[in-house]
Amino acid sequence: MIAVDNLRKSYGDFRAVDDISFTVERGETFALLGPNGAGKTTTIEILEGFRNRDAGTAIVAGLDPGRRENIPDLRRKVGVLLQKTALEPELSVLETVEAFRRYYADPIPAHEALDLVSLSEQRDRRVGALSGGQLRRLDIALSVLGRPEVLFLDEPTTGLDPAARRRIWQLIRNLNANGATILLSSHYLDEVEALAHRLIVLSRGRIVASGGPAALRESLAGETIVRLNETDAQVVSLLPRDIAAAARRSGAWVEFRADDATQLIQTIASVASRNGRSLRTMVVVRPSLEDFYLDLLEREEAHKPR
């Protein structure tokens, strides 16, 4: 449904997208990851037909978004959820949906759109009175009114509380199960891990990793992470020098990475016991997609030209 080959885009001397290639299969949820300035938004805007590319090819739902004559047909085949929308706060939810339905030749009925995002009970409520989660669900309803073959979701849950985020996740899963091909951009790694079949990671306009979330997560050479909360972190200074030197701060935790977690745990526990300290917060975890992502970006930063 999406095919990108040797795509490039520069702004002056800055190359925002640097010769990237990827495909998204029909019925797939595909994610773009990367820090701010990595090229995600530029790539998405090229695919949506909002920005011209400098070189390479791009096909979305059988159409080249770079050809202006294709834009009307492209608009009928894609749905777009922007990071932020500006809706008329005095209109009701139903009035807003009805207004947007007029942009499409064959829109889904308003009641179906509201049922899809669980907003039927709020149909007569003013948009300005909706909660953040309800407003985001309305945004999604508007993005699917035209029965899109491809749905672009740009940071769909930014700023939402955990419960609202999980409701949006289930909605995205339902859209995908009903046949929508989804291109997702998100800074939430747990979101990508929960929703995406495959992903690419962009850094300085280049693809630096690609694959399924599970495969990328497991690529951390089988490492296990051992974490100590600040309550127990004082034991680090008592550990053998080589082990203490490998400790890394991660928020409120101090963490170690080891291929042989059993030996590391035994050493930490033994040192703590000899010094009369009890370990109350030790946590042993397998690497997450976030661990892979942060480790990758750290390596990319280390090799960044100075």
Side-chain angles (χ1 to χ4, degrees):
M1 290 300 287
I2 298 175
V4 174
D5 191 36
N6 302 121
L7 189 67
R8 296 198 298 273
K9 177 65 179 181
S10 297
Y11 302 102
D13 294 332
F14 174 67
R15 183 164 288 186
V17 179
D18 190 3
D19 197 28
I20 70 172
S21 302
F22 65 91
T23 60
V24 181
E25 302 301 323
R26 182 183 296 274
E28 189 173 34
T29 296
F30 189 92
L32 268 62
L33 296 181
N36 292 332
K40 302 188 304 297
T41 297
T42 296
T43 300
I44 290 173
E45 289 181 348
I46 289 172
L47 297 177
E48 292 169 341
F50 293 134
R51 193 173 298 277
N52 293 323
R53 61 186 183 266
D54 293 337
T57 61
I59 300 296
V60 178
L63 299 168
D64 181 347
R67 299 178 66 88
R68 307 328 294 172
E69 64 269 24
N70 288 341
I71 294 303
D73 287 336
L74 185 70
R75 295 285 179 265
R76 286 189 284 270
K77 289 189 172 189
V78 305
V80 176
L81 177 72
L82 303 174
Q83 288 188 32
K84 295 182 180 179
T85 57
L87 302 176
E88 174 51 57
E90 296 302 320
L91 291 180
S92 71
V93 169
L94 180 59
E95 288 170 337
T96 300
V97 171
E98 291 288 9
F100 274 75
R101 290 183 72 249
R102 297 175 186 175
Y103 289 115
Y104 302 99
D106 182 31
I108 65 176
H111 69 88
E112 286 187 19
L114 294 178
D115 286 345
L116 180 67
V117 296
S118 302
L119 282 179
S120 296
E121 294 184 3
Q122 289 77 32
R123 57 185 294 161
D124 297 319
R125 183 175 298 178
R126 289 189 302 107
V127 169
L130 296 178
S131 68
Q134 290 170 338
L135 185 59
R136 205 57 175 150
R137 280 186 276 152
L138 176 58
D139 290 338
I140 293 176
L142 300 179
S143 72
V144 300
L145 284 175
R147 308 176 193 270
E149 297 178 33
V150 178
L151 184 59
F152 294 94
L153 302 178
D154 195 359
E155 303 291 344
T157 64
T158 297
L160 301 184
D161 64 68
R165 288 182 66 216
R166 294 304 175 102
R167 285 194 290 269
I168 297 294
W169 290 6
Q170 189 56 53
L171 173 55
I172 293 171
R173 291 190 186 100
N174 292 343
L175 291 170
N176 181 240
N178 288 328
T181 300
I182 297 173
L183 184 65
L184 168 71
S185 173
S186 177
H187 284 297
Y188 294 123
L189 276 296
D190 59 336
E191 182 164 280
V192 172
E193 193 159 14
L195 298 175
H197 298 101
R198 291 189 300 127
L199 62 94
I200 59 174
V201 181
L202 295 173
S203 176
R204 302 194 300 277
R206 298 177 295 107
I207 295 176
V208 294
S210 63
L216 293 177
R217 184 180 63 238
E218 292 301 318
S219 69
L220 281 177
E223 289 182 333
T224 298
I225 300 172
V226 178
R227 293 185 174 130
L228 298 175
N229 197 279
E230 291 178 341
T231 305
D232 294 325
Q234 297 90 336
V235 76
V236 174
S237 63
L238 305 174
L239 294 172
R241 184 174 300 177
D242 60 330
I243 296 178
R248 302 193 331 186
R249 175 69 65 173
S250 179
W253 297 84
V254 172
E255 68 178 32
F256 305 84
R257 293 171 182 252
D259 294 325
D260 185 357
T262 301
Q263 181 61 47
L264 174 61
I265 293 168
Q266 289 176 344
T267 299
I268 295 174
S270 176
V271 169
S273 178
R274 287 200 308 268
N275 288 273
R277 299 178 183 272
S278 61
L279 298 175
R280 300 181 180 180
T281 63
M282 181 185 288
V283 177
V284 181
V285 296
R286 293 287 296 154
S288 66
L289 181 62
E290 181 170 339
D291 294 315
F292 165 81
Y293 176 74
L294 294 176
D295 184 75
L296 175 65
L297 294 188
E298 185 176 291
R299 285 186 276 116
E300 282 293 309
E301 185 64 24
H303 291 89
K304 181 179 179 180
R306 302 299 178 183

